[in-house]
Amino acid sequence: MADITNTGADFVPTQARPAPASVRPGPMTWLKENLFNTWYNTLFTLGGIYLLVQTIPGLIDWFFASALWEAAPADACKEIAGACWAFVYEKWRFILFGTYPFEQQWRPGTAVVLFIGMVVISCMKPFWNKSLLVIWPVGLAVTWILLSGGLFGLDHVPNNLWGGLPITLMLAVIGAIVAFPVSIALALGRRSNMPIIKAFCVGYIELIRGVPLITVLFMASVMFPLFMPEGITIDKLLRAQVAIIMFMAAYLAEVVRGGLQAIPKGQYEAADAMGLSYWQAMVFIILPQALKITIPPQVNTFIGMFKDTSLVLIVGIFDLMFTMRVAINDLEWRAYYLEGMVFVAILYFIFCYSMSKYSQWLEGELHRGHKRL
């Protein structure tokens, strides 16, 4: 807008100035504002730099420079000062696939690829439609046939020989898929006006959340069969899967309930004003908003449960963590357990970090309408 600098008859308007350019702080400004803005932050920063200088060179030397990166006998590792990755080279198939028959390990390997592929496809926007209702049942059926066999010329392999990464992915992924809709039903039931349904949901959630996962697994593995009729048994892998689903559903239910409580009352009133039924309002208005704002705690629950699958060892199931522990019991390689721990930690980190980054992308994608351009 022009600035009138002279009110007389012969005034000359001043040209409008352009909008100020967006100024982004440089690296020195960022460092001063975030790391050296106070005397105690300066001390913490200098202390952190000192610790990094003292530890990082040694870690790089142990991990890379002085490490043994090729297949070699255990005696060769005694002559090096760094990591002995020959242990991982020797034991990686047992760590990933457990006691599954060696010559058939292409089957659990293919199953792992299918599991990861289905998860990746489910995270892509073009597949957020009814196609997932076909992809997942077919994919799970193919995965089960690959692992179990008995069809299409595949040798039957009982599930007490399954182990490693396929078990970890199966327990975590199937547990999350089944527990999610159950948690929504529990959250809605806890907020219901029907006393019996509300009491049941409150009792279930508080009971399951009040005990550790180990207790639930123990009950499913040891106590539950005692109540079954004589001669009827349920597979221990299925019992562990149900226990994880029950546990995850209880925690997710509270996350979803928190999202429902965060929705303003006006949204419910708007749905009533439009003449929507209870379920129409929940499906089209309330639940989408509640699930969107609870993405971070939902993913936090998924990540925690993915790591907690290692607790199934108490019921005799060889998950990824347990197969690694069995691998380091080899007397010849026992001294190099740290390399096995690092290898498994890297695998867990890849999966957990991927979930975390995807949740950040998904949160930003669904909040586009609230962002400033």
Side-chain angles (χ1 to χ4, degrees), residues 146-158:
L146 282 171
L147 291 173
S148 181
L151 296 173
F152 306 109
L154 298 175
D155 296 335
H156 174 66
V157 178

Side-chain angles (χ1 to χ4, degrees), residues 171-193:
L171 293 174
V173 174
I174 296 179
I177 293 174
V178 179
F180 188 69
V182 175
S183 67
I184 294 176
L186 289 172
L188 295 176
R190 183 160 188 170
R191 292 169 53 86
S192 174
N193 295 323

